[in-house]
Amino acid sequence: MVSKLFLAALTYVVAACAQASSWNVTQHGEMFHFVPGLGACGYTNDSTRSVASVSLNFFNSFPGSTDNPNDNPICTHHLNVTYNGTTVVAQIVDLCIQCADNSVGLSSSAFAHLADLRVGIVKNVTWVVDST
């Protein structure tokens, strides 16, 4: 008979592996543009820099995240966002509290490489967190 402790440990390991491997999988969703300032990562940015935000859930579930968002390892990564065959790279500097898990925000300068700012929200984008 398998012990409850063994099953609990196995469940934990499987969940941890699933979480660790899901962050660098290509996501499908939508993007919007935002005006960056002091972000969750502790950096102050402006719209001239190519920066990004991810959903609160994605940010907090990133492997190694802590209660202090400034220490989240996601802050050392970039998003590769693709729309209509064009890709832009933006440093992850913030989180979006009310966003769906598959939504990403880009500064105006990054967004403008992919779509007209007047569009506002663009559906059918893909994005992935870099692995470095």
Side-chain angles (χ1 to χ4, degrees), residues 43-114:
Y43 313 129
T44 300
N45 294 284
D46 60 42
S47 292
T48 63
R49 295 205 34 174
S50 185
V51 295
S53 66
V54 295
S55 72
L56 175 66
N57 187 50
F58 194 87
F59 189 93
N60 286 338
S61 65
F62 195 82
S65 66
T66 68
D67 289 339
N68 181 349
N70 294 176
D71 295 333
N72 191 323
I74 199 170
C75 297
T76 64
H77 291 272
H78 292 80
L79 277 186
N80 297 311
V81 183
T82 303
Y83 178 67
N84 280 344
T86 302
T87 300
V88 68
V89 178
Q91 181 181 2
I92 301 169
V93 297
D94 207 355
L95 59 84
C96 177
I97 294 173
Q98 298 176 342
C99 293
D101 288 349
N102 64 343
S103 292
V104 293
L106 294 176
S107 59
S108 298
S109 62
F111 189 98
H113 285 288
L114 301 175

Side-chain angles (χ1 to χ4, degrees), residues 103-127:
S103 292
V104 293
L106 294 176
S107 59
S108 298
S109 62
F111 189 98
H113 285 288
L114 301 175
D116 190 305
L117 292 173
R118 294 174 291 187
V119 174
I121 296 174
V122 176
K123 297 185 182 301
N124 300 316
V125 300
T126 58
W127 55 274

